[in-house]
Amino acid sequence: MIPQRQCFTYANEADVLNVALFGITAKEWRQTHPDSKGNIRDEASLQQLIVLANLESINAELIRQGIPQSERLLRLNASAKQMMQSPCRRSSH
């Protein structure tokens, strides 16, 4: 893969993860936060960053399995929702 194409692919996959977790792409976030010096991930909570790391692993496995991007996004979003709710459930036991 040529370097420019590879960068686009990685950026595209990063946005799949951003949409799955945050509901928006990095570009959309920048447009709504023009004065922010950081990016969407810089503003994320510790829990969101942990979920994001888990989503990266899940996404890599789904890519390996040949799952199309649209289906991966749905699965990743469902996983993100579940993981973001998990600490509340565990603390009630």
Side-chain angles (χ1 to χ4, degrees):
M1 190 178 294
I2 59 173
Q4 184 177 8
R5 178 73 178 146
Q6 190 173 16
C7 288
F8 175 77
T9 299
Y10 289 140
N12 192 26
E13 288 304 321
D15 269 337
V16 169
L17 298 172
N18 288 339
V19 172
L21 180 58
F22 303 113
I24 59 174
T25 66
K27 181 179 180 179
E28 291 168 337
W29 188 88
R30 280 191 304 276
Q31 290 171 341
T32 59
H33 298 84
D35 296 330
S36 180
K37 298 197 186 308
N39 61 47
I40 191 170
R41 294 177 183 205
D42 291 332
E43 301 292 327
S45 69
L46 178 59
Q47 181 184 14
Q48 288 171 323
L49 292 174
I50 291 168
V51 168
L52 189 60
N54 289 333
L55 291 179
E56 288 172 349
S57 296
I58 293 168
N59 193 40
E61 178 60 24
L62 294 174
I63 290 170
R64 191 187 67 73
Q65 293 174 12
I67 306 296
Q69 189 179 69
S70 58
E71 177 66 20
R72 285 188 282 119
L73 177 57
L74 293 173
R75 291 185 188 191
L76 292 166
N77 181 253
S79 293
K81 287 178 181 178
Q82 181 181 15
M83 285 185 267
M84 288 300 293
Q85 294 172 355
S86 291
C88 296
R89 285 194 216 143
R90 276 185 272 162
S91 64
S92 64
H93 287 94

